[in-house]
Amino acid sequence: NTNKIDNSYNFDEIIDRTGTNAMNTDGFRQYIFNATSEMKFPFKDEEFIRMWIADMEFATPPEILDAVRERLDRRIMGYSQVFDPIYYEAVASWMKRYYDWSFPKEHLETSNGIIPALYELVEYICQPDEKVLILTPSYGFFKSAADHNQLELVCSDMLNEEGHYTIDFDDFEAKARDEKVRVCIFCNPHNPSGRIWSTEELKRVGEICLNNELWIISDEIHCDLLRTGKTHTPLAKLFPDTDRIITCMSPSKTFNMAGLMFSNVIIPNKALREIWQARHYGFKNPLSIAATQAAYVHGDEWLRQLKLYLDDNFAYVDDFLKTHLPLAVFHIPEATYLAWIDITPYAPKNVSLPLFFAEQAGVLLEDGGMFVANGEGCIRLNLACPRSILKEGLSRISRVLVDQKTEQKQVKEVPVHV
Ligand SMILES: Cc1ncc(COP(=O)(O)O)c(C/N=C2\CONC2=O)c1O
């Protein structure tokens, strides 16, 4: 089945993922709660509405699955690397079509995912006493890239004006000036806020970093997942004369194939590229190569329809919150399929929000505490799911929060007998 009806892809289809070794269904106890598989909840695992880890409940596009089947039909799955020049042509064509950006073929390396690339690049760039600079709230693995290399992490908290996140450039520059800060891992577009950085913001980030002799790893994994009509600017595109910006991109987030563990790492600096080539484990999964190449060649129409479906999911969330949780702070993000919602006025105090929602609502979600710093009172919802699942998740969240607020009020209003 190709999950297509007429010429439309079916994003409403609910697909059973149980028994597929999916983190989404089987990894939440360990990842969210740092618990064993014995951890019990008042819900069966299959009763949870899962809105946590960033992969999708949509079938990977049939064109990509067809390419994987075609490679399987060659029947030998031996050691592989990207040798076929068509791969670079496919990547370069996508970058030109979508970002009007091009880079020399010799700059393109591949990795078994962006997280491993972050670990490796930070190791290759930094001396043991140097530091890693990030914006917070941040994707947790940016902190892990510093921790993994026993390097100090420096966080620059973003400014949050009623849910609109911007960079505190005074703070960012002050921290970039620290001569021991060597690399900035920059998220463009940003997870979890969903910001698409403006050209002006990108130029300021680049100038501050380059003027202070930082390297920049621009993690652009979310760059295809924009609201319809929005555009992305690769950071490196604005700084053609530097070779100190490494760009990490991948169709893995775009086309729901993170499990194939394959990404592009564009390294303009020759010396760093040679270190990468000498130390990076170069063999790759041949099915991942085939899938990634097919995504860049055949993915346009699926992506166009996906973006429209996500636009509608975000519009639904916006309307729902305005109606049922009007004190929550939420803005439809320019990028990502992740809703970042400040529920402070409703949230129970001094409890783990992920645990509260798992136990009370049967909803799996991540909260600000999982995004390094500066995320207090916020929850993050993965909206890359059929609308029926989204509706049930929001209904459960709202119910427990409103019940919670009612209980709080009742407790406060209980007359104290003197
Ligand atoms: C900014 C960013 N970089 C890298 C990755 C992972 O790259 P990979 O190793 O898969 O190539 C993610 C996935 N973000 C996730 C995954 O689950 N929850 C998230 O927020 C991400 O948001």
Side-chain angles (χ1 to χ4, degrees):
N1 66 323
T2 67
N3 98 315
K4 278 180 98 167
I5 303 166
D6 304 329
N7 199 26
S8 299
Y9 297 96
N10 180 6
F11 296 102
D12 290 318
E13 180 186 9
I14 293 179
I15 299 172
D16 177 16
R17 297 180 68 178
T18 53
T20 64
N21 288 310
M23 274 295 288
N24 206 314
T25 53
D26 293 16
F28 64 90
R29 286 179 174 83
Q30 156 216 348
Y31 189 89
I32 302 175
F33 304 108
N34 195 27
T36 68
S37 55
E38 307 312 309
M39 182 178 187
K40 297 291 181 231
F41 292 92
F43 296 86
K44 293 187 190 123
D45 282 14
E46 57 272 24
E47 292 173 334
F48 279 115
I49 299 292
R50 293 173 277 106
M51 308 182 87
W52 67 286
I53 193 169
D55 65 14
M56 302 186 195
E57 293 302 304
F58 307 131
T60 302
E63 294 81 359
I64 294 173
L65 299 179
D66 288 345
V68 173
R69 287 187 197 98
E70 199 177 308
R71 178 59 186 81
L72 279 172
D73 290 347
R74 301 298 302 272
R75 296 184 300 142
I76 296 181
M77 300 292 125
Y79 287 113
S80 304
Q81 292 194 20
V82 177
F83 295 108
D84 187 337
I86 293 180
Y87 180 81
Y88 169 74
E89 297 306 325
V91 174
S93 170
W94 184 274
M95 297 307 156
K96 193 66 185 164
R97 287 203 306 279
Y98 284 86
Y99 309 119
D100 190 23
W101 182 48
S102 53
F103 55 85
K105 180 175 180 181
E106 63 270 15
H107 291 182
L108 178 60
E109 298 295 338
T110 60
S111 173
N112 303 43
I114 289 180
I115 295 171
L118 297 180
Y119 286 19
E120 288 184 59
L121 290 165
V122 166
E123 179 189 350
Y124 302 159
I125 289 170
C126 294
Q127 295 302 314
D129 64 340
E130 293 184 325
K131 304 175 186 176
V132 179
L133 175 60
I134 65 173
L135 292 172
T136 37
S138 167
Y139 177 49
F141 279 96
F142 286 14
K143 176 178 185 301
S144 309
D147 295 349
H148 179 81
N149 288 293
Q150 291 86 46
L151 296 171
E152 185 177 334
L153 181 71
V154 179
C155 298
S156 180
D157 281 356
M158 293 199 283
L159 301 172
N160 172 5
E161 310 284 329
E162 276 300 297
H164 293 287
Y165 285 83
T166 54
I167 298 167
D168 180 345
F169 280 107
D170 292 341
D171 181 70
F172 184 74
E173 182 159 25
K175 286 167 178 171
R177 281 212 185 103
D178 175 342
E179 61 181 19
K180 286 299 180 186
V181 170
R182 181 59 50 235
V183 64
C184 171
I185 307 179
F186 182 63
C187 202
N188 170 38
H190 189 259
N191 170 18
S193 67
R195 276 294 318 272
I196 294 178
W197 304 114
S198 67
T199 303
E200 294 68 33
E201 290 170 316
L202 291 170
K203 284 181 175 172
R204 283 192 76 178
V205 166
E207 283 156 10
I208 288 170
C209 290
L210 298 174
N211 293 343
N212 287 284
E213 304 199 340
L214 272 64
W215 292 79
I216 309 169
I217 303 170
S218 188
D219 180 336
E220 307 193 359
I221 194 170
H222 295 277
C223 68
D224 301 318
L225 292 160
L226 312 179
R227 294 303 73 78
T228 300
K230 300 287 184 185
T231 56
H232 168 75
T233 305
L235 178 65
K237 178 179 176 182
L238 300 176
F239 295 90
D241 300 329
T242 185
D243 64 1
R244 294 165 68 90
I245 298 175
I246 300 108
T247 306
C248 297
M249 286 181 171
S250 174
S252 60
K253 196 65 74 198
T254 316
F255 296 104
N256 201 22
M257 49 192 210
L260 295 183
M261 310 299 290
F262 197 89
S263 58
N264 299 309
V265 184
I266 299 149
I267 309 176
N269 180 278
K270 190 168 181 301
L272 179 61
R273 198 164 62 239
E274 287 171 351
I275 295 170
W276 174 278
Q277 288 162 353
R279 296 175 58 181
H280 173 75
Y281 177 75
F283 293 127
K284 298 294 177 321
N285 181 324
L287 302 180
S288 306
I289 299 171
T292 303
Q293 184 172 306
Y296 285 131
V297 174
H298 303 298
D300 301 76
E301 179 56 17
W302 188 89
L303 177 57
R304 188 188 70 79
Q305 292 186 30
L306 167 78
K307 286 164 70 171
L308 293 173
Y309 194 90
L310 291 176
D311 290 345
D312 290 346
N313 273 5
F314 274 106
Y316 182 86
V317 170
D318 195 36
D319 291 345
F320 184 93
L321 293 175
K322 285 185 168 81
T323 306
H324 299 282
L325 297 169
L327 301 178
V329 177
F330 169 70
H331 306 287
I332 295 177
E334 302 155 298
T336 80
Y337 49 67
L338 304 159
W340 183 248
I341 309 166
D342 186 339
I343 57 165
T344 303
Y346 300 98
K349 303 299 176 255
N350 307 316
V351 300
S352 155
L353 289 177
L355 189 60
F356 170 78
F357 285 108
E359 290 181 332
Q360 304 298 323
V363 173
L364 297 175
L365 54 78
E366 300 185 12
D367 78 326
M370 300 175 72
F371 292 89
V372 184
N374 197 28
E376 294 72 22
C378 293
I379 57 174
R380 196 192 73 169
L381 302 182
N382 177 342
L383 303 194
C385 61
R387 197 143 311 123
S388 59
I389 293 177
L390 172 60
K391 288 180 177 178
E392 176 60 20
L394 286 172
S395 164
R396 294 188 189 185
I397 288 168
S398 162
R399 187 164 56 245
V400 296
L401 286 181
V402 171
D403 291 354
Q404 162 73 21
K405 193 148 179 68
T406 308
E407 279 163 28
Q408 277 175 349
K409 206 183 290 184
Q410 283 165 349
V411 166
K412 278 193 186 129
E413 286 166 359
V414 169
V416 178
H417 294 294
V418 288

